[in-house]
Amino acid sequence: MTKKELIGKMAEASGITKVQAEKALNAFIDSVSSTLKSGEKVTLVGFGTFQVSERAKRQGINPRTKTPITIPARKSPKFVPGKALKELVDK
């Protein structure tokens, strides 16, 4: 499903216009993004949790030259589905 299709489904399900649904979706995305950027997590009970995962610095191998390289530490967004969502998808 694309963002455009999601906006259409949101508008239809809630009885609002597509423009309003797009504003709501963009506000949701911006809110989650800014919360994750500040290091906090977003929990939607029954749906899941958006959180920041930290990856430690580690050693890797350059596949072209086969020489060892150091992969720097980094932060990455992560989504952990809630129990209700897992059960819904599993059926």
Side-chain angles (χ1 to χ4, degrees), residues 60-75:
I61 297 177
N62 182 332
R64 243 183 228 177
T65 62
K66 307 294 185 211
T67 58
I69 58 171
T70 300
I71 302 169
R74 65 182 296 186
K75 294 179 181 179

Side-chain angles (χ1 to χ4, degrees), residues 10 16 18-31:
M10 287 173 57
I16 60 176
K18 287 184 180 181
V19 172
Q20 292 170 324
E22 183 175 11
K23 284 182 183 178
L25 180 59
N26 287 337
F28 172 76
I29 291 169
D30 291 343
S31 298

Side-chain angles (χ1 to χ4, degrees), residues 46-63:
F47 184 70
T49 302
F50 296 92
Q51 59 191 21
V52 176
S53 173
E54 295 187 26
R55 300 185 71 181
K57 178 175 75 170
R58 63 191 196 279
Q59 291 295 315
I61 297 177
N62 182 332

